């Protein structure tokens, strides 16, 4: 594929130099593959969005140089929205030994030559945005609101309404760890509501998280480990049921940060008895 362009002459001060610009931009097979996938997203979702290639890639191509950094500008939607739709077209790459990885990991490892963990952190950051977005209104509201309900956490333990926000924020921060402030900032910036002061929203939520004592929540050790769960529930083998209880116990600790081991065990045993009574 080729794109027609013209020859240009540049003048810098007293020095005039003739810069020969190619009349065509020749796309490599990789270029055509990338642009083809982007256009496929537009066709698949019937998007009225224009994709524009900008930056150094255009300059280098006109000068006959190779460039592996392509900047794509969107005219009427956020890059995250477009990337989410691109991800929906389930696009994957195959590594050695037929291991399937996501496009993000492929780009970070093969193109940017960065660690796979960097790609995983980026994915976590973006995955966290929707979760933070669902909780921020509860955090910054000055009015009494209904009990916190979100669509991404259905298996929450029965806890007081006042503790539910701490549980949900705690679970998010345990997942994102030291990047929680970056995730919060990304969430605030992605909000399309232009009537709010984004800086104030960030500060307010950050302040509330600090008040809840969640800034290093991933460092909090479980009161009961998997082996003790098996012991108290008289389980012979581990497996999914132990993992399920460990998740519940983490929620309990988030709901009752001053709780001790004995109280945690008593709660677990009570929940087990209630489950037997209802089955």
């Amino acid at each position: 594929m080729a794109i027609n362009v013209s020859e240009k002459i540049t003048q810098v001060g007293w020095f005039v130099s003739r810069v020969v610009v190619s009349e065509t931009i020749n796309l490599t097979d990789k270029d055509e593959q990338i642009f083809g996938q982007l256009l496929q997203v537009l066709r698949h979702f019937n998007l009225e969005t224009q994709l524009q290639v900008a930056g150094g890639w255009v300059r280098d191509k006109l000068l006959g140089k190779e460039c592996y950094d392509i900047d794509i500008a969107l005219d009427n939607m956020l890059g995250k929205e477009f990337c989410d739709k691109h991800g929906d077209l389930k696009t994957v790459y195959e590594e050695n030994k037929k291991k399937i990885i996501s496009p993000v990991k492929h780009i970070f490892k093969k193109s940017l030559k960065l660690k796979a963990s960097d790609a995983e952190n980026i994915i976590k950051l973006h995955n966290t945005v929707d979760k933070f977005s669902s909780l921020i209104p509860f955090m910054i509201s000055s009015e009494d609101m209904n009990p916190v309900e979100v669509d991404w956490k259905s298996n929450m333990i029965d806890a007081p309404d006042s503790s539910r926000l701490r549980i949900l924020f705690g679970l998010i921060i345990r997942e994102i760890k030291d990047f929680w402030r970056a995730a919060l900032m990304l969430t605030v910036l992605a909000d399309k509501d232009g009537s709010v002061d984004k800086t104030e929203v960030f500060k307010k939520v950050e302040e509330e998280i600090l008040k809840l004592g969640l800034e290093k929540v991933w460092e909090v050790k479980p009161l009961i480990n998997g082996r003790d769960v098996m012991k108290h529930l008289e389980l012979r083998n581990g497996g999914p049921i132990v993992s399920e209880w460990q998740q519940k116990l983490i929620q309990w600790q988030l709901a009752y940060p001053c709780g001790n081991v004995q109280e945690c065990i008593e709660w677990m045993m009570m929940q087990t008895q209630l489950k037997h009574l209802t089955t």
Side-chain angles (χ1 to χ4, degrees):
M1 183 184 297
I3 303 173
N4 291 326
V5 294
S6 60
E7 182 180 277
K8 296 183 179 180
I9 297 179
T10 62
Q11 180 174 349
V12 182
W14 58 270
F15 178 76
V16 178
S17 63
R18 187 171 183 273
V19 178
V20 178
V21 181
S22 175
E23 293 185 357
T24 60
I25 289 180
N26 295 313
L27 301 183
T28 65
D29 291 341
K30 181 61 70 174
D31 293 334
E32 293 196 12
Q33 180 183 0
I34 293 172
F35 294 145
Q37 289 182 346
L38 296 176
L39 293 175
Q40 183 185 1
V41 175
L42 298 184
R43 292 191 294 268
H44 182 81
F45 293 98
N46 195 28
L47 299 177
E48 296 182 359
T49 300
Q50 289 189 353
L51 303 180
Q52 298 180 347
V53 184
W57 185 89
V58 177
R59 177 201 61 220
D60 289 347
K61 284 292 186 178
L62 291 176
L63 296 175
K65 301 178 181 180
E66 287 301 321
C67 182
Y68 303 100
D69 181 14
I70 306 178
D71 296 318
I72 305 294
L74 302 154
D75 67 339
N76 64 355
M77 68 188 306
L78 293 175
K80 178 185 182 300
E81 295 178 72
F82 187 86
C83 289
D84 288 342
K85 293 180 181 298
H86 183 271
D88 290 340
L89 292 180
K90 310 303 180 200
T91 301
V92 295
Y93 289 86
E94 188 176 284
E95 276 197 320
N96 297 333
K97 298 181 180 180
K98 298 184 178 180
K99 179 183 178 182
I100 301 300
I101 63 173
S102 70
V104 175
K105 289 186 178 181
H106 177 81
I107 291 170
F108 267 72
K109 289 189 66 176
K110 302 299 182 181
S111 299
L112 301 180
K113 307 300 182 184
L114 298 175
K115 300 177 183 178
S117 60
D118 293 327
E120 293 172 359
N121 287 330
I122 291 296
I123 294 173
K124 286 182 179 180
L125 279 173
H126 285 277
N127 289 340
T128 301
V129 168
D130 290 336
K131 295 179 180 180
F132 263 142
S133 296
S134 65
L135 296 179
I136 286 178
F138 296 94
M139 184 69 86
I140 65 176
S141 176
S142 58
E143 303 176 358
D144 292 334
M145 303 185 69
N146 294 326
V148 183
E149 298 289 347
V150 293
D151 57 6
W152 53 268
K153 189 60 181 174
S154 58
N155 57 338
M156 183 180 291
I157 65 171
D158 186 15
D161 293 343
S162 58
S163 299
R164 295 175 70 84
L165 201 59
R166 191 177 196 276
I167 292 174
L168 293 169
F169 264 108
L171 292 175
I172 295 175
I173 296 174
R174 282 179 63 88
E175 179 183 349
I176 201 68
K177 297 182 180 178
D178 268 325
F179 292 100
W180 68 265
R181 281 188 174 87
L184 176 59
M185 178 60 74
L186 187 62
T187 304
V188 173
L189 292 176
D191 188 356
K192 297 179 181 179
D193 187 356
S195 64
V196 299
D197 186 326
K198 297 183 183 295
T199 301
E200 288 302 315
V201 172
F202 176 87
K203 289 181 178 178
K204 173 65 175 177
V205 178
E206 179 189 38
E207 180 182 342
E208 293 300 322
I209 288 175
L210 295 178
K211 285 182 180 179
L212 291 172
L214 295 173
E215 67 273 18
K216 291 284 186 179
V217 69
W218 64 91
E219 295 180 353
V220 176
K221 302 298 183 183
L223 292 175
I224 305 175
N225 58 34
R227 181 174 298 178
D228 288 335
V229 170
M230 294 176 60
K231 173 185 174 182
H232 291 291
L233 297 184
E234 298 181 351
L235 299 174
R236 293 185 177 181
N237 300 308
I241 188 172
V242 174
S243 297
E244 181 181 340
W245 271 108
Q246 286 179 308
Q247 292 300 314
K248 290 180 179 179
L249 294 171
I250 288 173
Q251 292 185 45
W252 186 89
Q253 285 186 238
L254 289 169
Y256 305 99
C258 296
N260 56 43
V261 174
Q262 187 58 38
E263 291 172 335
C264 189
I265 293 174
E266 290 175 358
W267 176 84
M268 180 175 63
M269 301 305 294
M270 183 180 297
Q271 295 301 307
T272 304
Q273 292 172 6
L274 290 175
K275 184 175 181 181
H276 288 319
L277 291 174
T278 57
T279 56

